[in-house]
Amino acid sequence: MKDPIHLNLNCGVEMAAAPMPGKHVVAMEFRILSGTAEEPEDKLGLARLVKETIDKGTGKRSGRELLDAFDDIGAPTGAWVGREAAGFTCICLPEFLEQAVGLHAEFLRTPTFPEDAVKTAIGLTEQEIGSLEDDPPSLADKYIERYGLGPVLGRCPLGERHTLAQIGREDLVQHWQQQYCTGRMQFSIAGAVDPDAVAKIIQTHFDGFGSAARVGRDGCGFTFEPTRKHYDKKIEQEQIALCFPGAAVGDDDYSAMRIMLGVLSGGMSGRLFTEVREKQGLAYDVHAMAENPRGQGMVFVAASCKPDVADQTFRTLLRELERLSEDLTDDEVSRARSRVIAREETMADMTRSRRGTLAADLFHHGRPRSIDERLAKIRKVTREDVIAYLSSHPRDRMSIVTLGPCGLADAQTADTIGALPNEDG
Amino acid sequence: MKTDNHFGAHTLPNGLRIVVEQMPDTRSVAAGFLARTGARDEVPELAGISHFLEHMCFKGTTNRTWEQINTEFDDIAVDYNAFTSEERTFYYGWVQTENLEKQIELLADMMRSRLPAEEFDMEKKVVLDEIARSNDQLMHVAYDFLHNTAFDGHPLGWPVLGHDATVEALTREQMSAYYQERYAPNNLILIAAGDVTLERVIELAEKFCGQWESGPAKPERQTPKMKVGSVLKQLDQFGQQIVALCYPAPSSVDPLHETANAAASILGGQNSRFFWNIVQEGISPDASCYRIPYCDYGMTLLWGQADPQNCERLLEAMQSQAEKIGTSKVDEQEVQRVKNKRRTSLAVESEAPYYRLVQIMGDVDLLGAPRSIDQRLADVDAITVDRIAEYFESYPFDAQDRLLISVGPRDWQGQN
């Protein structure tokens, strides 16, 4: 597999391309380096509203005509808003590449944000906030992210009802004018493509789109403040979520953290699955994962269980986090390493997946990396590296959220987390 | 042994069928055992046994403990898991090519589970927790209520997870009897897709499955008939309201299969009539139309979720759009756009052994043989405006034949 290409185009767009000869599709992403962290505090939800409405009308077409034009070339699109970026994705057959790029340029550069579309988007978002209440695992995620990543990075993209009420069309226009420009744009593409030809297409379509000066490359940072909070909800399960600081993507021990997570929750032999589900039958779902805003790392652990075993489940989670540094084995590290490598190598054969790794590398490293380079540090991680990571990232300061009918009750649990400030929800 | 294009098929003397697709330009293999049994093959007092059995197949064999199964899979697999539906149970793994033999050995071993008694009650707790999790989520509750109402008294009405009471009451002996009957090799199909040949899979199947003894054929299924009318379920613990309309539709094996999917896509897929006339009118953030096909029956489902006070508007809008598409021809461009999107999605599917595995699994189970990407493209290309019109003549959105369900906090009439 050829090394990916990295180009800084004159128009200001930063581009990464992975030619994959023989593939029948092209996968691309336009990433704008501006997310929910850029929203004014009293207008939370703004970034997502821009994402929802930016394709609802352009200087040339109505929203419907625009989506029809994408469908005319059989190019399904997607969009997302994250903490520090927004992304617009598309897959198409290679012969429709230029048309697909042209349509993206049209709505990214000349959105009209029709008044009725904005009002509709706000109303729909309010309903989606209501939907979140009917999905307890997702609701618990929203709460723990707030306490894990802080009041800025931990924002929910949906916003809040009272902040949505403060947003009007002019806010969307202003946000787009300030945040959407080539200086904030990263473009990633994988599949049956010629990078030079793609670069010309991007240059042609995006030249002159806002400021080309590089901005949005730095993380916004936050200070972690451990918090304990229970949200009372009359449901059958208790949702338990906790988090604590981990390594950032650029840190030397980031690969060791990935292997640690593999040991903890990488598959059915992971320690959490083994101890919580297989040995005690406490919970159907238990997992751990990392979130990595730029320059930051946070490990999240979650389980949902019947209320009568919530304390036992919680104690088991804590014990497994503690036990990692006591009896980690070479076999566990080797297994987690093999799994990461096999997964990455195999997924790299898929156009969409390769586009995803290119975009992530541009975002975190400022350049695309080959699969070999992406895996080089992983291949070298040893048990000692993971132990060293665990020593430098103690799990003694954590935020804890419970959502359900009773929270955590018994004495041992209370002792464990008693030092934390407790806010009743 | 038969081969066709990149496909090959073979049946072992004990009845185990083998289907393989060799995919050029891949470096991995996805493989799985399809057990042709699911929730609709259960009797009422055993509701949930297929799904619980799927869990138990990971819990130990005569060769391995559950720890060994989990550990050995994690040593080799890019991905692995299992799922149970109304009509089937599927166990799969996806590995780099060099790990194919190990993967098939592991999956084959799981198909001969010991159903360890010492793990039975422990895993029962996990399944009961999974049911509780489902009960807390409006979408799951509404989906189960829909089936329970539409197929009242028929096994398609049981929830796949079962009920608390039936799972609580299940014994290992009951599961063992069900297992012996339904997991005989003549009720299983071994499927592989990716960097692999039919000859290699036959060799491995003979090695790991050749000694299995045939069993009775699976029981006949009774064709259901969907109930009609309006049934509302008031549940105060939720904040949003689901409104769903169900109409009869072609089964999975009906020649109108692709036409029905295209019609559903035009009505309620991406960039569809629902999207512009319901979602973008602010009535519901999630309004869609899709078909739920079974081997002998099908339903077209018009599904929306909204604030409770929007129920009437949502129902009226869904009915209005259904009436329009059923009574006047769709636009030529609408049909062409569906075809264009399908062409791209098939090209994406052709890249990934796992995606192909799942598609082949459905084809083999329902149609008896897999369809190549080219065959499926031809099926899509054959859809026309006239065919869709003919389809709606055969399967009209007739108010007399529809079922309306609604689940959520509001007590409303739903009699629109």
Side-chain angles (χ1 to χ4, degrees):
Chain A
M1 195 172 285
K2 289 181 182 175
D3 283 350
I5 310 295
H6 184 207
L7 297 169
N8 289 300
L9 306 181
N10 291 335
C11 64
V13 175
E14 187 178 6
M15 172 178 147
M20 300 170 75
K23 296 295 182 191
H24 300 296
V25 291
V26 173
M28 68 188 93
E29 180 188 273
F30 297 85
R31 184 173 293 201
I32 304 292
L33 298 176
S34 171
T36 53
E38 270 73 35
E39 294 169 338
E41 198 173 338
D42 60 342
K43 295 185 192 304
L44 303 182
L46 178 60
R48 185 175 176 278
L49 287 172
V50 169
K51 183 266 287 184
E52 289 291 313
T53 51
I54 196 167
D55 62 353
K56 296 298 179 289
T58 71
K60 283 185 359 191
R61 284 177 247 244
S62 68
R64 188 164 196 160
E65 287 167 342
L66 184 73
L67 288 192
D68 284 350
F70 273 112
D71 282 356
D72 285 340
I73 58 172
T77 58
W80 56 269
V81 166
R83 309 182 195 291
E84 299 176 299
F88 299 88
T89 61
C90 181
I91 299 172
C92 66
L93 302 182
E95 58 266 37
F96 297 124
L97 168 64
E98 181 155 12
Q99 284 166 268
V101 171
L103 289 168
H104 278 89
E106 184 180 326
F107 76 74
L108 289 170
R109 297 188 67 162
T110 63
T112 53
F113 296 109
E115 187 76 48
D116 56 346
V118 173
K119 281 185 181 164
T120 297
I122 292 171
L124 291 172
T125 305
E126 287 171 344
Q127 293 195 55
E128 288 184 71
I129 290 171
S131 299
L132 196 59
E133 293 285 334
D134 292 338
D135 182 4
S138 300
L139 189 59
D141 285 347
K142 170 185 164 175
Y143 292 143
I144 191 65
E145 285 167 12
R146 182 189 301 167
Y147 297 113
L149 296 169
V152 176
L153 281 172
R155 291 170 176 171
C156 173
L158 291 171
E160 306 292 341
R161 289 183 199 278
H162 68 279
T163 60
L164 291 173
Q166 303 297 316
I167 298 174
R169 178 184 176 274
E170 62 282 7
D171 297 305
L172 276 69
V173 172
Q174 188 179 23
H175 182 89
W176 167 73
Q177 287 171 336
Q178 289 173 349
Q179 308 293 331
Y180 281 59
C181 58
T182 56
R184 283 185 186 269
M185 188 184 292
Q186 294 179 330
F187 175 69
S188 306
I189 186 164
V193 294
D194 168 2
D196 291 333
V198 174
K200 282 181 188 166
I201 292 169
I202 296 294
Q203 175 69 31
T204 301
H205 285 281
F206 285 95
D207 192 24
F209 174 31
S211 168
R214 285 284 178 87
V215 281
R217 262 63 181 177
D218 301 319
C220 70
F222 73 100
T223 303
F224 175 63
E225 292 180 10
T227 306
R228 174 190 171 192
K229 187 147 183 163
H230 171 68
Y231 293 86
D232 202 42
K233 193 170 178 68
K234 289 183 174 51
I235 49 180
E236 290 193 22
Q237 283 194 313
E238 194 72 35
Q239 303 285 331
I240 303 169
L242 55 91
C243 66
F244 47 88
V249 172
D251 292 350
D252 288 340
D253 54 3
Y254 174 70
S255 295
M257 182 185 76
R258 285 183 72 186
I259 297 304
M260 181 277 291
L261 281 169
V263 171
L264 201 58
S265 182
M268 292 188 195
S269 69
R271 289 186 172 201
L272 293 181
F273 193 88
T274 299
E275 299 298 328
V276 173
R277 176 165 156 172
E278 300 281 47
K279 287 189 180 172
Q280 300 182 75
L282 296 172
Y284 166 74
D285 179 52
V286 56
H287 63 270
M289 56 173 284
E291 269 239 32
N292 288 100
R294 287 169 298 186
Q296 309 286 341
M298 186 65 60
V299 175
F300 291 87
V301 178
S304 55
C305 60
K306 296 279 187 73
D308 61 336
V309 295
D311 289 283
Q312 189 181 347
T313 302
F314 181 72
R315 284 198 303 272
T316 305
L317 296 178
L318 292 186
R319 175 65 191 129
E320 289 313 307
L321 294 174
E322 189 178 289
R323 194 167 67 88
L324 274 171
S325 47
E326 296 171 0
D327 57 1
L328 185 70
T329 68
D330 286 327
D331 278 353
E332 287 179 305
V333 171
S334 171
R335 190 172 304 118
R337 206 171 45 216
S338 300
R339 193 165 156 78
V340 171
I341 293 167
R343 195 170 177 84
E344 182 124 3
E345 287 180 345
T346 303
M347 299 305 280
D349 283 344
M350 268 134 273
T351 314
R352 271 191 305 185
S353 173
R354 188 66 185 110
R355 176 257 283 152
T357 53
L358 289 176
D361 281 346
L362 268 188
F363 185 67
H364 285 290
H365 297 276
R367 65 185 179 86
R369 297 179 299 166
S370 67
I371 300 301
D372 282 346
E373 186 184 351
R374 283 178 62 85
L375 291 174
K377 285 187 178 174
I378 289 285
R379 291 184 203 281
K380 291 178 185 166
V381 173
T382 64
R383 177 181 167 278
E384 287 67 35
D385 293 331
V386 179
I387 296 288
Y389 163 82
L390 289 165
S391 300
S392 59
H393 293 83
R395 277 88 51 222
D396 55 352
R397 295 175 70 241
M398 55 176 67
S399 283
I400 301 157
V401 163
T402 49
L403 169 74
C406 62
L408 302 169
D410 78 7
Q412 188 179 342
T413 307
D415 286 348
T416 308
I417 59 176
L420 299 173
N422 187 7
E423 305 171 33
D424 291 326
Chain B
M1 187 168 78
K2 291 180 183 173
T3 58
D4 174 25
N5 197 357
H6 295 299
F7 291 115
H10 182 71
T11 304
L12 296 187
N14 61 14
L16 178 69
R17 289 176 62 197
I18 299 162
V19 178
V20 175
E21 181 179 21
Q22 189 173 1
M23 297 171 64
D25 305 321
T26 55
R27 299 182 295 175
S28 60
V29 189
F33 278 94
L34 168 64
R36 304 179 72 193
T37 192
R40 71 174 292 182
D41 301 303
E42 299 165 350
V43 293
E45 59 271 24
L46 299 183
I49 193 171
S50 306
H51 168 257
F52 189 178
L53 172 57
E54 173 224 302
H55 279 231
M56 286 303 294
C57 282
F58 285 88
K59 298 301 285 186
T61 71
T62 53
N63 301 311
R64 290 175 173 86
T65 63
W66 60 262
E67 289 104 322
Q68 288 169 317
I69 291 173
N70 292 350
T71 300
E72 290 181 34
F73 258 127
D74 279 341
D75 278 337
I76 61 165
V78 173
D79 195 10
Y80 66 99
N81 211 329
F83 57 81
T84 307
S85 69
E86 286 85 351
E87 297 191 328
R88 58 180 77 125
T89 312
F90 192 53
Y91 303 81
Y92 66 88
W94 184 9
V95 297
Q96 294 181 301
T97 304
E98 63 267 26
N99 291 319
L100 172 67
E101 176 166 352
K102 182 73 178 177
Q103 173 182 230
I104 291 186
E105 186 208 343
L106 266 169
L107 288 166
D109 199 25
M110 285 170 57
M111 294 302 94
R112 289 297 166 265
S113 172
R114 189 165 62 78
L115 305 181
E118 66 277 16
E119 300 297 335
F120 190 80
D121 288 340
M122 185 69 76
E123 199 58 26
K124 185 181 281 187
K125 289 199 290 183
V126 172
V127 174
L128 290 169
D129 189 65
E130 191 177 355
I131 292 172
R133 183 179 171 86
S134 177
N135 290 344
D136 281 343
Q137 293 175 288
L138 175 60
M139 298 289 274
H140 292 184
V141 171
Y143 187 84
D144 283 347
F145 180 67
L146 166 76
H147 276 77
N148 186 250
T149 307
F151 302 116
D152 183 24
H154 184 278
L156 272 178
W158 324 149
V160 171
L161 299 182
H163 305 284
D164 276 342
T166 57
V167 172
E168 286 272 15
L170 268 176
T171 67
R172 182 178 171 274
E173 289 66 36
Q174 288 171 314
M175 182 176 285
S176 184
Y178 180 86
Y179 185 46
Q180 298 301 322
E181 184 181 305
R182 307 300 171 88
Y183 280 56
N186 44 317
N187 286 329
L188 297 175
I189 305 174
L190 172 58
I191 304 162
D195 180 19
V196 64
T197 64
L198 173 63
E199 293 77 10
R200 178 68 173 140
V201 180
I202 293 173
E203 178 192 341
L204 295 172
E206 285 173 340
K207 182 175 175 183
F208 300 120
C209 318
Q211 73 285 12
W212 296 352
E213 291 184 9
S214 313
K218 69 171 185 176
E220 289 291 313
R221 288 170 173 165
Q222 302 298 313
T223 302
K225 182 162 172 49
M226 193 186 86
K227 298 280 190 293
V228 299
S230 301
V231 186
L232 312 175
K233 183 171 189 168
Q234 188 189 3
L235 292 173
D236 289 335
Q237 69 266 39
F238 297 115
Q240 295 281 295
Q241 195 89 18
I242 297 287
V243 178
L245 287 164
C246 313
Y247 298 88
S251 73
S252 303
V253 299
D254 193 296
L256 285 170
H257 177 75
E258 287 288 357
T259 308
N261 286 345
S265 181
I266 290 168
L267 184 60
Q270 280 192 322
N271 188 25
S272 62
R273 295 182 181 197
F274 271 19
F275 180 73
W276 290 107
N277 295 295
I278 299 178
V279 176
Q280 287 306 312
E281 288 298 318
I283 300 169
S284 161
D286 175 19
S288 57
C289 171
Y290 53 94
R291 196 168 60 99
I292 304 179
Y294 297 108
C295 65
D296 52 359
Y297 195 78
M299 282 192 300
T300 293
L301 184 60
L302 280 55
W303 177 277
Q305 178 174 352
D307 279 343
Q309 69 270 19
N310 281 351
C311 285
E312 286 87 352
R313 284 184 73 202
L314 176 58
L315 175 60
E316 187 181 336
M318 290 199 300
Q319 285 181 323
S320 166
Q321 293 303 316
E323 190 180 325
K324 277 183 192 162
I325 200 170
T327 52
S328 58
K329 279 191 174 181
V330 298
D331 191 87
E332 174 67 45
Q333 286 175 312
E334 288 181 301
V335 177
Q336 191 56 49
R337 288 182 193 122
V338 168
K339 292 182 183 183
N340 295 343
K341 284 189 282 191
R342 197 85 178 101
R343 185 169 285 111
T344 305
S345 72
L346 287 170
V348 171
E349 182 186 308
S350 70
E351 289 184 347
Y354 172 67
Y355 298 158
R356 287 297 297 148
L357 179 76
V358 173
Q359 180 61 44
I360 293 168
M361 183 262 293
D363 283 353
V364 170
D365 186 25
L366 297 164
L367 307 175
R371 293 176 297 162
S372 66
I373 297 283
D374 288 344
Q375 284 172 300
R376 290 167 63 208
L377 264 178
D379 290 344
V380 171
D381 283 339
I383 299 167
T384 62
V385 169
D386 289 337
R387 278 206 178 192
I388 290 180
E390 288 164 20
Y391 164 71
F392 279 121
E393 282 175 20
S394 304
Y395 292 93
F397 286 137
D398 189 335
Q400 303 300 313
D401 291 334
R402 70 106 166 95
L403 169 68
L404 163 67
I405 67 118
S406 183
V407 179
R410 189 166 158 208
D411 181 13
W412 65 302
Q413 292 303 307
Q415 298 296 334
N416 198 316

mmCIF file of all heavy atoms in Angstrom, chain B residues 229-249:
data_model
loop_
_atom_site.group_PDB
_atom_site.id
_atom_site.type_symbol
_atom_site.label_atom_id
_atom_site.label_comp_id
_atom_site.label_asym_id
_atom_site.label_seq_id
_atom_site.Cartn_x
_atom_site.Cartn_y
_atom_site.Cartn_z
ATOM 1 N N GLY B 229 -56.298 -2.441 12.666
ATOM 2 C CA GLY B 229 -56.988 -1.635 13.683
ATOM 3 C C GLY B 229 -56.059 -0.615 14.300
ATOM 4 O O GLY B 229 -55.021 -0.266 13.724
ATOM 5 N N SER B 230 -56.413 -0.128 15.454
ATOM 6 C CA SER B 230 -55.612 0.877 16.165
ATOM 7 C C SER B 230 -55.411 0.417 17.605
ATOM 8 O O SER B 230 -56.385 0.117 18.295
ATOM 9 C CB SER B 230 -56.345 2.232 16.195
ATOM 10 O OG SER B 230 -56.600 2.677 14.884
ATOM 11 N N VAL B 231 -54.168 0.350 18.025
ATOM 12 C CA VAL B 231 -53.875 -0.071 19.395
ATOM 13 C C VAL B 231 -52.846 0.897 19.987
ATOM 14 O O VAL B 231 -51.767 1.082 19.432
ATOM 15 C CB VAL B 231 -53.318 -1.514 19.448
ATOM 16 C CG1 VAL B 231 -53.175 -1.948 20.898
ATOM 17 C CG2 VAL B 231 -54.221 -2.463 18.695
ATOM 18 N N LEU B 232 -53.211 1.497 21.084
ATOM 19 C CA LEU B 232 -52.340 2.503 21.696
ATOM 20 C C LEU B 232 -51.906 2.044 23.068
ATOM 21 O O LEU B 232 -52.678 1.440 23.811
ATOM 22 C CB LEU B 232 -53.095 3.830 21.816
ATOM 23 C CG LEU B 232 -53.819 4.269 20.540
ATOM 24 C CD1 LEU B 232 -54.641 5.522 20.787
ATOM 25 C CD2 LEU B 232 -52.823 4.498 19.420
ATOM 26 N N LYS B 233 -50.652 2.317 23.393
ATOM 27 C CA LYS B 233 -50.128 1.920 24.696
ATOM 28 C C LYS B 233 -49.596 3.156 25.396
ATOM 29 O O LYS B 233 -48.644 3.783 24.912
ATOM 30 C CB LYS B 233 -49.013 0.886 24.494
ATOM 31 C CG LYS B 233 -48.437 0.329 25.776
ATOM 32 C CD LYS B 233 -47.516 -0.847 25.461
ATOM 33 C CE LYS B 233 -47.088 -1.567 26.719
ATOM 34 N NZ LYS B 233 -46.435 -2.846 26.425
ATOM 35 N N GLN B 234 -50.201 3.486 26.513
ATOM 36 C CA GLN B 234 -49.765 4.671 27.244
ATOM 37 C C GLN B 234 -48.706 4.278 28.272
ATOM 38 O O GLN B 234 -48.945 3.412 29.129
ATOM 39 C CB GLN B 234 -50.939 5.329 27.955
ATOM 40 C CG GLN B 234 -50.555 6.676 28.561
ATOM 41 C CD GLN B 234 -51.635 7.244 29.456
ATOM 42 O OE1 GLN B 234 -52.660 6.618 29.691
ATOM 43 N NE2 GLN B 234 -51.390 8.433 29.971
ATOM 44 N N LEU B 235 -47.546 4.892 28.166
ATOM 45 C CA LEU B 235 -46.454 4.620 29.103
ATOM 46 C C LEU B 235 -45.895 5.947 29.596
ATOM 47 O O LEU B 235 -45.224 6.664 28.849
ATOM 48 C CB LEU B 235 -45.357 3.792 28.414
ATOM 49 C CG LEU B 235 -45.727 2.349 28.042
ATOM 50 C CD1 LEU B 235 -44.619 1.710 27.218
ATOM 51 C CD2 LEU B 235 -45.989 1.516 29.290
ATOM 52 N N ASP B 236 -46.160 6.247 30.846
ATOM 53 C CA ASP B 236 -45.796 7.561 31.374
ATOM 54 C C ASP B 236 -44.296 7.784 31.523
ATOM 55 O O ASP B 236 -43.856 8.928 31.614
ATOM 56 C CB ASP B 236 -46.445 7.760 32.759
ATOM 57 C CG ASP B 236 -47.941 7.949 32.640
ATOM 58 O OD1 ASP B 236 -48.379 8.395 31.565
ATOM 59 O OD2 ASP B 236 -48.662 7.621 33.604
ATOM 60 N N GLN B 237 -43.527 6.689 31.552
ATOM 61 C CA GLN B 237 -42.097 6.898 31.820
ATOM 62 C C GLN B 237 -41.345 7.499 30.629
ATOM 63 O O GLN B 237 -40.201 7.899 30.771
ATOM 64 C CB GLN B 237 -41.412 5.578 32.232
ATOM 65 C CG GLN B 237 -41.279 4.533 31.151
ATOM 66 C CD GLN B 237 -42.427 3.534 31.170
ATOM 67 O OE1 GLN B 237 -43.570 3.899 31.402
ATOM 68 N NE2 GLN B 237 -42.117 2.262 30.927
ATOM 69 N N PHE B 238 -41.995 7.541 29.479
ATOM 70 C CA PHE B 238 -41.328 8.110 28.310
ATOM 71 C C PHE B 238 -41.834 9.516 28.023
ATOM 72 O O PHE B 238 -42.959 9.865 28.383
ATOM 73 C CB PHE B 238 -41.545 7.217 27.079
ATOM 74 C CG PHE B 238 -40.936 5.844 27.229
ATOM 75 C CD1 PHE B 238 -41.734 4.714 27.268
ATOM 76 C CD2 PHE B 238 -39.562 5.697 27.346
ATOM 77 C CE1 PHE B 238 -41.176 3.453 27.424
ATOM 78 C CE2 PHE B 238 -39.000 4.440 27.502
ATOM 79 C CZ PHE B 238 -39.808 3.317 27.538
ATOM 80 N N GLY B 239 -41.002 10.300 27.346
ATOM 81 C CA GLY B 239 -41.377 11.674 27.022
ATOM 82 C C GLY B 239 -41.859 11.847 25.600
ATOM 83 O O GLY B 239 -42.628 12.760 25.301
ATOM 84 N N GLN B 240 -41.401 10.991 24.703
ATOM 85 C CA GLN B 240 -41.754 11.088 23.289
ATOM 86 C C GLN B 240 -42.796 10.031 22.926
ATOM 87 O O GLN B 240 -43.033 9.073 23.692
ATOM 88 C CB GLN B 240 -40.506 10.894 22.430
ATOM 89 C CG GLN B 240 -39.467 11.975 22.599
ATOM 90 C CD GLN B 240 -39.804 13.234 21.839
ATOM 91 O OE1 GLN B 240 -39.843 13.250 20.621
ATOM 92 N NE2 GLN B 240 -40.054 14.315 22.570
ATOM 93 N N GLN B 241 -43.370 10.204 21.751
ATOM 94 C CA GLN B 241 -44.425 9.291 21.316
ATOM 95 C C GLN B 241 -44.030 8.653 19.973
ATOM 96 O O GLN B 241 -43.569 9.350 19.070
ATOM 97 C CB GLN B 241 -45.726 10.085 21.127
ATOM 98 C CG GLN B 241 -46.961 9.257 21.021
ATOM 99 C CD GLN B 241 -47.616 8.977 22.382
ATOM 100 O OE1 GLN B 241 -47.329 9.666 23.355
ATOM 101 N NE2 GLN B 241 -48.460 7.971 22.448
ATOM 102 N N ILE B 242 -44.188 7.349 19.896
ATOM 103 C CA ILE B 242 -43.990 6.651 18.618
ATOM 104 C C ILE B 242 -45.352 6.480 17.958
ATOM 105 O O ILE B 242 -46.326 6.088 18.608
ATOM 106 C CB ILE B 242 -43.376 5.252 18.841
ATOM 107 C CG1 ILE B 242 -41.982 5.354 19.469
ATOM 108 C CG2 ILE B 242 -43.337 4.456 17.534
ATOM 109 C CD1 ILE B 242 -40.901 5.827 18.562
ATOM 110 N N VAL B 243 -45.398 6.763 16.669
ATOM 111 C CA VAL B 243 -46.597 6.501 15.878
ATOM 112 C C VAL B 243 -46.170 5.651 14.697
ATOM 113 O O VAL B 243 -45.241 6.018 13.966
ATOM 114 C CB VAL B 243 -47.238 7.810 15.373
ATOM 115 C CG1 VAL B 243 -48.468 7.509 14.513
ATOM 116 C CG2 VAL B 243 -47.617 8.708 16.542
ATOM 117 N N ALA B 244 -46.813 4.505 14.510
ATOM 118 C CA ALA B 244 -46.411 3.615 13.413
ATOM 119 C C ALA B 244 -47.636 3.066 12.701
ATOM 120 O O ALA B 244 -48.625 2.693 13.330
ATOM 121 C CB ALA B 244 -45.565 2.461 13.952
ATOM 122 N N LEU B 245 -47.546 3.033 11.386
ATOM 123 C CA LEU B 245 -48.585 2.436 10.546
ATOM 124 C C LEU B 245 -47.983 1.233 9.830
ATOM 125 O O LEU B 245 -46.895 1.336 9.244
ATOM 126 C CB LEU B 245 -49.063 3.448 9.506
ATOM 127 C CG LEU B 245 -49.937 4.597 10.007
ATOM 128 C CD1 LEU B 245 -50.010 5.701 8.964
ATOM 129 C CD2 LEU B 245 -51.338 4.076 10.334
ATOM 130 N N CYS B 246 -48.666 0.115 9.877
ATOM 131 C CA CYS B 246 -48.166 -1.100 9.219
ATOM 132 C C CYS B 246 -49.149 -1.540 8.139
ATOM 133 O O CYS B 246 -50.368 -1.544 8.373
ATOM 134 C CB CYS B 246 -48.039 -2.247 10.205
ATOM 135 S SG CYS B 246 -47.237 -1.821 11.718
ATOM 136 N N TYR B 247 -48.592 -1.946 7.011
ATOM 137 C CA TYR B 247 -49.408 -2.452 5.911
ATOM 138 C C TYR B 247 -48.785 -3.757 5.413
ATOM 139 O O TYR B 247 -47.554 -3.929 5.483
ATOM 140 C CB TYR B 247 -49.431 -1.450 4.752
ATOM 141 C CG TYR B 247 -50.032 -0.111 5.093
ATOM 142 C CD1 TYR B 247 -49.250 0.913 5.616
ATOM 143 C CD2 TYR B 247 -51.389 0.141 4.873
ATOM 144 C CE1 TYR B 247 -49.798 2.154 5.912
ATOM 145 C CE2 TYR B 247 -51.944 1.390 5.169
ATOM 146 C CZ TYR B 247 -51.146 2.391 5.693
ATOM 147 O OH TYR B 247 -51.680 3.616 5.992
ATOM 148 N N PRO B 248 -49.576 -4.649 4.860
ATOM 149 C CA PRO B 248 -49.002 -5.879 4.302
ATOM 150 C C PRO B 248 -48.027 -5.555 3.166
ATOM 151 O O PRO B 248 -48.229 -4.587 2.429
ATOM 152 C CB PRO B 248 -50.229 -6.633 3.773
ATOM 153 C CG PRO B 248 -51.387 -6.063 4.506
ATOM 154 C CD PRO B 248 -51.043 -4.632 4.781
ATOM 155 N N ALA B 249 -46.986 -6.371 3.029
ATOM 156 C CA ALA B 249 -45.962 -6.148 1.996
ATOM 157 C C ALA B 249 -45.415 -7.497 1.540
ATOM 158 O O ALA B 249 -45.697 -8.534 2.162
ATOM 159 C CB ALA B 249 -44.840 -5.280 2.571
#
